Amino acid sequence: MKIKKDSLEALNEFEAEIGYSFGNLSLLQESRIQASNKKTAFFGDAVLDFIVSEFLFMNYTDLEQGQLTNLKSHLVCDEKLEKIVKKNGWDDYLILEKGIAGKSKKMNSTFLEAVVGVIYLDGGLEPTEKFVYKYIMNRKEAEKAMKSLISPKVKLYEFCQQHYGGFRPESFMVSQEGPPHDKTFTMGYVLPKEISGLKTDISGEGEGKTKSDAETKAAEVINQQLIQIGIMDKE
């Protein structure tokens, strides 16, 4: 028999799913109602922001403020939160406003923020941290996000440092075009065969409105070649 979404049985089932028993079940019900959970989600977003910020601050002391901000944004973006909701099947517990046919990415991410908010309101920081660390963010997730945020230039430099005796490829300008106020740069990198031990040089060029952007694209071209021949990891 299918459980009614607005029943006590559905609430108890959802409690079991998220691993937290509420003293005030009306809070959990509030988080589930798409038409009225935005205020709770606002609060939950702030709680989630604090928990993730504290974790990153305490565990990644070598990162600059901008790097920490980018990492946090990557860990708790709408896309990431929506994937967590879908992966666990929690979207089945979200009650939509009449007339709305389907659940959007924003609805699902707002729902998860609201759940974080009501766990905090009901039980305080400790159970909320437990929930966040279990389902949303932990060291493994942070390390995975770190890898995806490493710029192609840094990835190329670190690879060469580790595999080619500290060699650091230097960028060079291929061309620059356009008026002074609107230039387009083409930059390049070369990994010489004498350094890599490969049969040919590995080279790449990239175009951008700044030299740095063009260098990033050129480094990515080289990285993709190194990945394709199997000597650089994809992640």
Side-chain angles (χ1 to χ4, degrees), residues 14 26 77 118 177 209 212:
F14 189 39
S26 64
C77 65
V118 296
E177 299 177 351
K209 286 299 181 182
S212 180

Side-chain angles (χ1 to χ4, degrees), residues 100-116:
I100 296 179
K103 297 162 186 172
S104 67
K105 180 190 299 183
K106 185 61 180 175
M107 288 178 191
N108 282 326
S109 65
T110 297
F111 175 35
L112 186 52
E113 289 169 343
V115 170
V116 170

Side-chain angles (χ1 to χ4, degrees), residues 101-146:
K103 297 162 186 172
S104 67
K105 180 190 299 183
K106 185 61 180 175
M107 288 178 191
N108 282 326
S109 65
T110 297
F111 175 35
L112 186 52
E113 289 169 343
V115 170
V116 170
V118 296
I119 292 175
Y120 184 91
L121 290 171
D122 189 77
L125 184 59
E126 185 176 345
T128 312
E129 286 182 329
K130 184 177 179 181
F131 175 79
V132 170
Y133 293 155
K134 182 175 181 180
Y135 292 108
I136 300 176
M137 187 276 310
N138 52 38
R139 182 174 287 277
K140 183 178 178 180
E141 288 293 326
E143 294 292 343
K144 184 178 178 181
M146 279 278 290

Side-chain angles (χ1 to χ4, degrees), residues 56-184:
L56 297 178
F57 179 79
M58 299 299 293
N59 289 279
Y60 294 91
T61 56
D62 57 329
L63 296 185
E64 299 294 333
Q65 182 266 336
Q67 294 172 308
L68 289 170
T69 298
N70 289 338
L71 184 54
K72 181 185 68 176
S73 297
H74 188 81
L75 286 166
V76 294
C77 65
D78 285 344
E79 183 178 0
K80 171 73 184 301
L81 298 183
E82 195 248 358
K83 284 182 178 178
I84 293 167
V85 170
K86 298 285 286 185
K87 177 184 176 182
N88 290 284
W90 294 340
D91 52 320
D92 289 339
Y93 297 99
L94 177 60
I95 301 172
L96 295 182
E97 192 174 359
K98 287 184 179 180
I100 296 179
K103 297 162 186 172
S104 67
K105 180 190 299 183
K106 185 61 180 175
M107 288 178 191
N108 282 326
S109 65
T110 297
F111 175 35
L112 186 52
E113 289 169 343
V115 170
V116 170
V118 296
I119 292 175
Y120 184 91
L121 290 171
D122 189 77
L125 184 59
E126 185 176 345
T128 312
E129 286 182 329
K130 184 177 179 181
F131 175 79
V132 170
Y133 293 155
K134 182 175 181 180
Y135 292 108
I136 300 176
M137 187 276 310
N138 52 38
R139 182 174 287 277
K140 183 178 178 180
E141 288 293 326
E143 294 292 343
K144 184 178 178 181
M146 279 278 290
K147 288 182 179 179
S148 69
L149 291 174
I150 294 175
S151 76
K153 286 191 288 185
V154 171
K155 186 173 183 178
L156 177 61
Y157 294 158
E158 290 184 346
F159 178 83
C160 290
Q161 287 277 329
Q162 294 172 7
H163 293 81
Y164 302 131
F167 172 74
R168 181 184 176 93
E170 296 292 337
S171 66
F172 58 91
M173 185 180 294
V174 178
S175 65
Q176 56 177 314
E177 299 177 351
H181 66 281
D182 189 27
K183 283 187 177 295
T184 297

Side-chain angles (χ1 to χ4, degrees), residues 32-50:
R32 299 175 58 215
I33 302 173
Q34 178 264 327
S36 59
N37 69 1
K38 296 176 182 62
K39 186 175 180 180
T40 311
F42 167 79
F43 179 69
D45 176 60
V47 173
L48 181 59
D49 187 83
F50 168 75

